[in-house]
Amino acid sequence: MEHGNLVIWEPLQVNPFDRFHAPMNLVSMHFEGDFVLKFNTFNSSKEYIFTYKQNQSNYYAIRHFRILEEFIRHDIEILIDQFRLKRESLGLPKLTYNHTFFKIENSSFLSWYRSIDPSFPLQEDCCVEHHLYITSNYFIDVLSEQQPTITISTNNDSGNLIE
């Protein structure tokens, strides 16, 4: 169960996803050196490709991930409600859409992973973040020291992807 604090994460300048009105669909996921997540929305010709790259400066594309096939994660729903109530108590405007991307500070998932991986660097030696993707059918948690690169592909009339 997650006990951290949610922070809105805006990896896309123009976010087409709304958790309830334009859900994010997981198209594919693979982890072969790079960790790649592909998403789209219903009735859209665009695919949003999030790539965590493995290279010389990032030996690990990601440290760990998990994917849960659930429609509701009560622990996350509680965090979202706490996030909303905190915004209201601070007098901040209501959110204009239902977010699908979050970072989790003080993540219990990250703390758990640190406890089981003896190769994990000390907290002061690395900056691992917990990224949360909420899709139409899955909750995807990613622990990484980097931000993903994002590309958008569009189907043309012949069905080929253009990047």
Side-chain angles (χ1 to χ4, degrees), residues 8-76:
I8 291 178
W9 178 35
E10 301 270 4
L12 297 168
Q13 287 183 355
V14 178
N15 188 353
F17 305 113
D18 180 295
R19 184 171 175 203
F20 301 111
H21 303 293
M24 183 166 64
N25 302 305
L26 178 63
V27 173
S28 68
M29 174 177 63
H30 70 271
F31 190 15
E32 295 177 28
D34 294 344
F35 182 65
V36 180
L37 299 160
K38 289 185 184 180
F39 303 104
N40 69 10
T41 61
F42 289 111
N43 302 319
S44 173
S45 62
K46 293 183 179 179
E47 280 191 339
Y48 297 81
I49 304 157
F50 289 69
T51 304
Y52 294 85
K53 292 202 171 285
Q54 179 185 25
N55 54 38
Q56 283 189 318
S57 62
N58 294 302
Y59 180 75
Y60 298 103
I62 61 170
R63 293 303 297 214
H64 195 55
F65 78 96
R66 68 180 172 193
I67 180 169
L68 301 169
E69 184 178 21
E70 298 182 20
F71 295 106
I72 293 179
R73 268 185 59 192
H74 294 290
D75 60 331
I76 298 299

Side-chain angles (χ1 to χ4, degrees), residues 44-160:
S44 173
S45 62
K46 293 183 179 179
E47 280 191 339
Y48 297 81
I49 304 157
F50 289 69
T51 304
Y52 294 85
K53 292 202 171 285
Q54 179 185 25
N55 54 38
Q56 283 189 318
S57 62
N58 294 302
Y59 180 75
Y60 298 103
I62 61 170
R63 293 303 297 214
H64 195 55
F65 78 96
R66 68 180 172 193
I67 180 169
L68 301 169
E69 184 178 21
E70 298 182 20
F71 295 106
I72 293 179
R73 268 185 59 192
H74 294 290
D75 60 331
I76 298 299
E77 300 304 330
I78 289 168
L79 290 178
I80 290 171
D81 194 45
Q82 289 172 345
F83 177 79
R84 183 186 55 76
L85 291 171
K86 183 178 178 181
R87 284 184 64 86
E88 286 177 11
S89 72
L90 294 172
L92 297 172
K94 288 188 177 186
L95 299 174
T96 58
Y97 66 96
N98 299 293
H99 288 266
T100 54
F101 303 107
F102 291 97
K103 290 183 181 182
I104 302 179
E105 293 178 338
N106 302 316
S107 164
S108 55
F109 178 47
L110 177 55
S111 295
W112 166 80
Y113 188 71
R114 282 183 188 281
S115 74
I116 66 163
D117 183 355
S119 73
F120 206 88
L122 296 173
Q123 196 164 355
E124 51 274 359
D125 294 335
C126 72
C127 184
V128 175
E129 293 182 336
H130 179 171
H131 299 164
L132 173 65
Y133 299 82
I134 302 176
T135 74
S136 56
N137 294 321
Y138 303 101
F139 288 83
I140 303 167
D141 296 279
V142 177
L143 301 178
S144 181
E145 296 176 65
Q146 61 177 298
Q147 301 300 307
T149 58
I150 302 166
T151 54
I152 302 171
S153 297
T154 306
N155 285 326
N156 66 14
D157 294 339
S158 63
N160 297 322

